[in-house]
Amino acid sequence: GAGVSQSPRYKVAKRGQDVALRCDPISGHVSLFWYQQALGQGPEFLTYFQNEAQLDKSGLPSDRFFAERPEGSVSTLKIQRTQKEDSAVYLCASSLVSQETQYFGPGTRLLVL
Amino acid sequence: SQQGEEDPQALSIQEGENATMNCSYKTSINNLQWYRQNSGRGLVHLILIRSNEREKHSGRLRVTLDTSKKSSSLLITASRAADTASYFCATDPTSGTYKYIFGTGTRLKVLA
């Protein structure tokens, strides 16, 4: 079946603008993760959903970052009042359950000017 | 902050040679996964090894896990130019969180 998809693939935002990044996980996958990847670094955990419940948001860098998965499938990561340091690739991954293989989407590359 | 550290940070080899990269981590884990990332693309899962396993194979890939040393290694045999990518390990701590932790990555370049 289809893999994890993310949209948009690229986003350029002016500092202070709000952005919304979408993730469509693999159908039937209970677990959904968001990661932030800076250039030349490994992905850093942001938040985790089990179905519609956000069970771990310890990696969200500030209260400007907000994620939701209201119906337990599609998820949206929202960043309010974007700052230059938010520029990164945002990766979404899903897995059947939390301790199994994660399947990653292609990522959204965010550039804040 | 990232728990895992890959070693070496960068590796350049000739096609046909073997490539070995290592990952060290800090806390007890449920499992460890290796991923490949081609430039500008998402991560592709390679192998998952559980804490009660010591070695796993998949095609030209061999992964070992030593929980007493908190380390893992990934061996790619008979490398190909297409293996050129960054390789990351990711650990699933047993601390009761869902916070998978990725290492800093090894950038492998296979020369044709």
Side-chain angles (χ1 to χ4, degrees):
Chain A
V4 178
S5 61
Q6 293 186 244
S7 62
R9 292 291 313 277
Y10 303 91
K11 177 70 179 177
V12 179
K14 292 183 179 178
R15 190 161 55 94
Q17 188 178 350
D18 297 349
V19 298
L21 313 179
R22 177 187 169 107
C23 172
D24 281 84
I26 293 172
S27 178
H29 278 194
V30 167
S31 299
L32 187 146
F33 299 80
W34 282 99
Y35 295 89
Q36 180 189 60
Q37 187 176 24
L39 192 64
Q41 299 293 315
E44 294 237 16
F45 171 87
L46 293 177
T47 187
Y48 167 74
F49 288 87
Q50 183 172 293
N51 295 309
E52 69 278 3
Q54 189 176 21
L55 298 187
D56 191 333
K57 53 182 180 180
S58 61
L60 296 176
S62 76
D63 58 8
R64 296 186 296 103
F65 287 70
F66 171 77
E68 59 183 6
R69 193 186 185 197
E71 297 177 359
S73 55
V74 171
S75 178
T76 304
L77 175 67
K78 297 179 180 177
I79 309 173
Q80 298 176 325
R81 305 181 304 281
T82 52
Q83 304 294 313
K84 286 191 175 182
E85 60 264 28
D86 299 335
S87 296
V89 176
Y90 290 86
L91 296 165
C92 174
S94 71
S95 63
L96 204 53
V97 292
S98 65
Q99 291 179 5
E100 293 299 326
T101 298
Q102 294 185 36
Y103 296 90
F104 280 79
T108 294
R109 188 176 298 272
L110 173 65
L111 177 62
V112 181
L113 302 175
Chain B
S1 62
Q2 295 183 304
Q3 169 178 224
E5 286 188 13
E6 275 93 340
D7 166 50
Q9 290 190 347
L11 181 60
S12 186
I13 59 174
Q14 294 291 330
E15 207 167 28
E17 293 181 339
N18 296 343
T20 300
M21 50 205 89
N22 305 294
C23 166
S24 59
Y25 56 92
K26 296 176 184 172
T27 64
S28 298
I29 61 171
N30 291 312
N31 63 60
L32 184 145
Q33 304 185 42
W34 282 92
Y35 289 85
R36 182 186 74 226
Q37 186 176 38
N38 292 89
S39 180
R41 299 200 175 181
L43 282 83
V44 173
H45 180 262
L46 298 176
I47 286 186
L48 180 152
I49 186 165
R50 301 192 188 280
S51 59
N52 61 352
E53 297 176 309
R54 291 295 167 260
E55 188 170 312
K56 218 165 177 182
H57 297 255
S58 176
R60 293 184 296 112
L61 306 180
R62 172 178 168 254
V63 166
T64 62
L65 179 64
D66 186 336
T67 53
S68 66
K69 294 181 179 177
K70 293 187 170 57
S71 68
S72 174
S73 68
L74 170 67
L75 168 68
I76 304 173
T77 60
S79 63
R80 305 167 182 168
D83 295 329
T84 294
S86 291
Y87 291 81
F88 296 93
C89 66
T91 52
D92 168 26
T94 59
S95 59
T97 76
Y98 299 92
K99 189 173 182 176
Y100 272 79
I101 298 176
F102 281 76
T104 50
T106 292
R107 281 156 284 286
L108 174 66
K109 187 169 186 178
V110 181
L111 304 170

